[in-house]
Amino acid sequence: MHYSVCDFLLDIVQNSIEAGSANIVLKILEENRLLEVYVEDNGKGMDKEELEKIRDPFYSDGQKHSKRKVGLGIPFLLHAVELAGGSCNIASKKGKGTIVSFSFPMDSIDSPPLGDLPGLFLSSMCFDGNYELSIYRRNKEADIDYVLHRSELLEIIGSFNKADALLDLKDFLVSQELASGEVVS
Amino acid sequence: MAKMTLEQLRKLREEKKGEMDKREVEGKNIQIIVGMGTCGIAAGAKQTFEEIIREVDANGLAAQVVIRQTGCMGLCHVEPTVEVVMPDMPDTIYGRVDGAIAKEIVVRHVLGKALLENHIYDRPAVDIVKQ
């Protein structure tokens, strides 16, 4: 079972990449003790019937693993949302893409912790392929507001496969979670 | 640490680039691949991935090693899983790779060319082997 919101998100982003998306938009917004998350892709999408089935943990389209009988990513998320009294909406169009959005009340004891955002962003960018990932992050109370684009970061660091480049990128991502003017040792 | 701008990141990379170019070898020939499917994520593959990055850098292997992520390798029961492909060693898939084992993979397998025998799960599960 996933532990944090970041775990759910890495799973969803990976689904988007595996669905052949060229563009993925990830928004993580916190305001008034509500966490709102939105993932939009332009991958292969799903029809109404498939969309219904992804809620079933004992359903998998069998394309990735032909004998596998489970698909747990979305059922994990739905279970966590239901437990915490949040909300979740999944919309999809075959051939067009999918939008997954969900929210968690941050004061609920059953809401999962947000988790390691810089680690999520790093891993989300490091899958093979030429997809664009645009990240919008805002936490009004903490004075955090930034936008990241995978293509722009790749142009700067040169590679998502080299350890030294990834360490610099991780430092950069960690620093984005600081408020303007905030310095930590 | 203060909030870094894109320009600062660019400058940092350019400073290191000169140093890396000196060490760069023709064609990186070692691959470390971390399984990042639902099962891997739930078992802590993200931490494993980051530990491998740190250890590869700490041992000065950045010029030879390509670090990649992939989806589920079909070994959900022993996640996190890590595959190592390199010359003079058999292609190996390790299972139950936490941070400490990740470190050992870099030091003992990649540098020392020795297998970590208690963590080898060398064949992908039957449902993902190409017919």
Side-chain angles (χ1 to χ4, degrees):
Chain A
M1 179 72 184
H2 292 345
Y3 171 67
S4 70
V5 173
C6 285
D7 294 340
F8 296 113
L9 279 172
L10 184 54
D11 211 337
I12 294 167
V13 170
Q14 206 232 345
N15 285 347
S16 293
I17 295 164
E18 288 190 341
S21 306
N23 280 298
I24 303 163
V25 174
L26 169 60
K27 295 181 183 175
I28 301 175
L29 314 170
E30 287 172 81
E31 198 172 346
N32 300 325
R33 306 299 300 153
L34 183 71
L35 173 70
E36 291 181 286
V37 177
Y38 173 95
V39 187
E40 178 175 3
D41 70 45
N42 64 348
K44 63 183 179 182
M46 292 168 282
D47 58 29
K48 208 176 162 187
E49 199 181 320
E50 287 172 299
L51 196 55
E52 204 47 52
K53 284 180 181 169
I54 63 164
R55 295 167 182 273
D56 178 359
F58 300 105
Y59 168 76
S60 169
D61 67 7
Q63 287 187 11
K64 203 163 60 171
H65 308 291
S66 60
K67 293 181 180 171
R68 190 72 53 87
K69 299 294 180 203
V70 291
L72 299 175
I74 294 294
F76 276 174
L77 173 65
L78 294 171
H79 176 70
V81 163
E82 188 185 348
L83 204 64
S87 66
C88 181
N89 188 52
I90 304 170
S92 192
K93 263 193 178 170
K94 193 83 178 167
K96 297 277 182 195
T98 301
I99 300 173
V100 178
S101 57
F102 61 89
S103 68
F104 281 106
M106 299 184 75
D107 291 328
S108 165
I109 196 168
D110 291 315
S111 285
L114 181 54
D116 171 25
L117 276 180
L120 164 70
F121 298 156
L122 181 76
S123 274
S124 298
M125 289 179 193
C126 287
F127 289 101
D128 289 346
N130 289 323
Y131 60 97
E132 176 63 299
L133 173 67
S134 299
I135 296 168
Y136 298 81
R137 163 78 176 128
R138 192 171 68 228
N139 180 339
K140 258 190 160 178
E141 283 91 353
D143 190 23
I144 292 168
D145 194 346
Y146 59 87
V147 180
L148 304 169
H149 300 287
R150 183 178 187 258
S151 56
E152 192 173 28
L153 291 167
L154 178 59
E155 185 263 316
I156 292 172
I157 68 164
S159 167
F160 287 124
N161 295 134
K162 287 169 72 171
D164 62 308
L166 294 178
L167 285 175
D168 288 344
L169 179 58
K170 180 76 193 279
D171 285 346
F172 172 79
L173 295 170
V174 168
S175 81
Q176 300 309 295
E177 283 294 306
L178 300 173
S180 312
E182 186 184 357
V183 179
V184 293
S185 56
Chain B
M1 181 200 287
K3 190 165 181 166
M4 210 189 290
T5 63
L6 285 171
E7 275 320 300
Q8 286 168 322
L9 177 63
R10 190 186 299 276
K11 205 173 157 206
L12 182 65
R13 289 306 303 156
E14 277 165 7
E15 280 167 11
K16 286 196 184 167
K17 196 169 179 296
E19 183 194 326
M20 286 309 296
D21 285 347
K22 285 182 212 151
R23 287 192 279 155
E24 198 81 32
V25 293
E26 195 59 36
K28 292 172 184 255
N29 54 7
I30 303 170
Q31 283 193 65
I32 302 179
I33 306 160
V34 181
M36 200 66 80
T38 301
C39 43
I41 296 164
K46 194 150 60 67
Q47 289 80 357
T48 300
F49 177 67
E50 292 189 20
E51 189 59 40
I52 287 171
I53 294 171
R54 271 194 294 274
E55 205 54 28
V56 165
D57 188 68
N59 285 283
L61 291 166
Q64 291 111 300
V65 176
V66 171
I67 302 168
R68 291 172 53 206
Q69 289 181 157
T70 188
C72 171
M73 297 191 207
L75 296 166
C76 307
H77 59 298
V78 289
E79 292 289 348
T81 49
V82 171
E83 182 173 10
V84 186
V85 180
M86 62 181 282
D88 305 326
M89 289 291 281
D91 295 355
T92 309
I93 298 179
Y94 288 109
R96 303 189 201 281
V97 182
D98 59 12
I101 301 300
K103 207 170 170 172
E104 275 202 67
I105 287 174
V106 175
V107 174
R108 283 180 50 197
H109 185 116
V110 178
L111 277 174
K113 295 194 174 172
L115 295 169
L116 279 67
E117 292 188 0
N118 292 335
H119 287 268
I120 297 172
Y121 296 87
D122 63 345
R123 290 167 66 102
V126 72
D127 66 338
I128 64 166
V129 174
K130 282 188 183 148
Q131 298 299 317

